[in-house]
Amino acid sequence: TFSFYQRIESTKTALLGLLSGGILSTPFIAYHDLPLNNGVAQWEFDTDMGSLESALFAIVYRYCVREEDDNDMLNMGVVGAFVITRTLSRIQVPSYCTAVPLDCGDPLGYFDYDMIQQLFLNGLESVAMFGGAALAMEYAYSKKWIGKFPN
């Protein structure tokens, strides 16, 4: 059942995810956005959105990682699913690519060097964001600051 206590725990979870994911991903987002994109405004937006994504991640993580369930593969799978989804959704196809079938040039045709760089940088951000939030959640569980969702 979803009691008032569970709502409080979910609120604490969202707050921890928001802060930990946002703070831990900030330098990686800065490295990506400040020299390559729209500067400080893009960095601020991406950091804010990353914090919200981390809050939602933390809630989902809490629901997946239950009491008396020590399944490390499940924990990593939840993190991995969020990392892959965010990373791939942030790839921008360059204007010089041709469609049907997608061809962007060397080295792989479908992915060119620019897109591979985007994959790497966005992947690094996402690992810091969601991996950091998961580590913060596990630490909070170990200290009993936040309770795992019951089975």
Side-chain angles (χ1 to χ4, degrees):
T1 69
F2 202 77
S3 64
F4 182 72
Y5 171 76
Q6 291 304 326
R7 288 186 182 98
I8 296 297
E9 293 300 293
S10 290
T11 302
K12 293 185 328 190
T13 296
L15 185 59
L16 179 61
L18 180 120
L19 293 173
S20 61
I23 290 169
L24 291 171
S25 65
T26 295
F28 299 100
I29 295 172
Y31 178 77
H32 183 200
D33 283 349
L34 294 179
L36 299 176
N37 290 323
N38 190 19
V40 176
Q42 187 67 49
W43 172 72
E44 178 183 352
F45 179 79
D46 286 347
T47 302
D48 292 347
M49 295 306 104
S51 295
L52 292 174
E53 292 168 11
S54 296
L56 294 172
F57 162 79
I59 292 170
V60 171
Y61 187 83
R62 179 173 178 261
Y63 293 151
C64 291
V65 179
R66 305 267 177 135
E67 284 180 354
E68 301 172 19
D69 185 12
D70 295 322
N71 185 342
D72 290 336
M73 292 306 292
L74 176 63
N75 301 11
M76 289 187 289
V78 174
V79 174
F82 273 77
V83 167
I84 289 169
T85 302
R86 181 180 183 274
T87 299
L88 294 177
S89 70
R90 293 180 50 85
I91 302 301
Q92 297 289 314
V93 176
S95 61
Y96 52 78
C97 294
T98 59
V100 190
L102 184 65
D103 185 13
C104 296
D106 291 334
L108 303 174
Y110 196 86
F111 289 106
D112 70 349
Y113 289 107
D114 176 59
M115 294 170 75
I116 292 170
Q117 179 186 28
Q118 290 180 60
L119 277 169
F120 176 76
L121 292 174
N122 286 306
L124 189 61
E125 290 173 14
S126 298
V127 167
M129 183 182 302
F130 300 125
L135 287 173
M137 291 293 298
E138 291 297 331
Y139 185 76
Y141 293 151
S142 73
K143 295 294 184 181
K144 307 286 188 223
W145 295 338
I146 295 175
K148 289 185 175 184
F149 201 76
N151 283 328

